[in-house]
Amino acid sequence: MSKAVLYMSMSVDGFIAGPNVAPGNGLGDKGHRLHEWFLPDADADHRRDLDQLAGVNREVMDEVMATGAVVVGRRTFELADGWGGDHHDGVPIFVLSRHQPDPELRWPGVTYVSDVTAAMNMAKDVAGDKDVLVHGARTAQLALAAGVLDELQIHLVPVLIGQGEPLFEDMPPDHIELELLRAADGPGVAHLRYRVRTGG
C-alpha cells in the first residue's frame, strides 16, 4: 500500500534551509550544506550525478527516486522552479495551493489542489503501490494535522545553522508520537525513518 513520506534534510538545530530563502536562493544562504550528503557540489545551478553515491546514502536516494508521485507546497515548488515540471521520471506532481497558476505557467504532469487530504488521496491513487514523496515544511505540518502523513525520513546533517527555515514551527501543542523504523549512518548524514503513530 502506498505511503505518504516526508523526505527532508535537516540540521541538528532543526533547519531545512538557511536564511534569506528566495527565488534563485531556494536553499537560503549556505543552505546547500544540508544537501552535500547526496549533492557534494550542490548550489542553485548545479546537480551532481547521483550515480556516484554508495552505501546507505545510495539506498536512500534510490527510495526517493522510486516514489510514484509528489505532493509539494506551492512555495517549495516555485522555489525549485517546479523542477521544470518533472521531479523524477515524469511522476505526477500535486501542488498544494489555494490558487490556480497562470495558464502559461502550467505543466502537463502538475495538478494544483487546495486541500491536503485531497492532494494525498489523489497522489496515492496514481502512485499505486509506490510511495508518495512529500516536500515542504508547511505541507508536512498540514498533512500531520490532517492525519495523512504516514512517515518522516529525516536526513540529519551534523551542522548547526543557527537561523533559517525550520522544519516544525508553530506546531499545535498536541503530541505526535513517532516510531523509529530505521537509523543508519552514511557519510555526512544520519538517516532516520519514522512511522507516524495514530491515536488509540
Side-chain angles (χ1 to χ4, degrees):
M1 177 180 289
S2 180
K3 298 181 296 296
V5 183
L6 173 71
Y7 290 87
M8 192 67 73
S9 292
M10 184 178 76
S11 67
V12 171
D13 52 350
F15 294 100
I16 58 172
N20 302 314
V21 169
N25 192 34
L27 296 176
D29 297 345
K30 300 184 180 178
H32 68 277
R33 170 66 182 91
L34 299 174
H35 295 252
E36 287 178 353
W37 64 271
F38 71 97
L39 294 173
D41 295 327
D43 60 34
D45 302 312
H46 180 71
R47 285 184 62 106
R48 194 175 181 94
D49 189 354
L50 300 180
D51 288 341
Q52 62 189 316
L53 290 176
V56 66
N57 288 1
R58 178 58 186 262
E59 291 173 22
V60 167
M61 287 310 299
D62 285 347
E63 289 175 13
V64 171
M65 302 310 286
T67 54
V70 175
V71 173
V72 60
R74 184 168 186 158
R75 180 173 183 255
T76 300
F77 182 73
E78 290 179 350
L79 286 170
D81 291 325
W83 305 289
D86 183 7
H87 187 280
H88 63 277
D89 299 329
V91 302
I93 301 171
F94 297 88
V95 180
L96 193 60
S97 175
R98 290 187 296 268
H99 307 288
Q100 293 292 317
D102 295 333
E104 63 269 14
L105 298 177
R106 295 191 78 127
W107 285 290
V110 177
T111 303
Y112 285 73
V113 185
S114 62
D115 177 76
V116 69
T117 300
M120 290 297 184
N121 289 338
M122 293 167 70
K124 286 184 176 183
D125 284 346
V126 300
D129 60 353
K130 296 182 177 181
D131 288 343
V132 172
L133 187 156
V134 179
H135 272 313
R138 182 68 180 141
T139 299
Q141 293 173 25
L142 291 170
L144 280 169
V148 293
L149 186 64
D150 300 303
E151 294 184 1
L152 291 80
Q153 285 218 39
I154 304 297
H155 312 296
L156 194 64
V157 180
V159 63
L160 300 172
I161 289 184
Q163 56 183 312
E165 300 275 330
L167 177 53
F168 297 113
E169 184 177 43
D170 298 326
M171 292 284 288
D174 307 322
H175 287 166
I176 298 173
E177 296 289 340
L178 306 174
E179 176 188 352
L180 182 63
L181 301 177
R182 176 177 66 196
D185 290 328
V189 63
H191 300 287
L192 304 171
R193 184 168 187 148
Y194 296 96
R195 176 182 293 123
V196 179
R197 296 177 62 180
T198 56

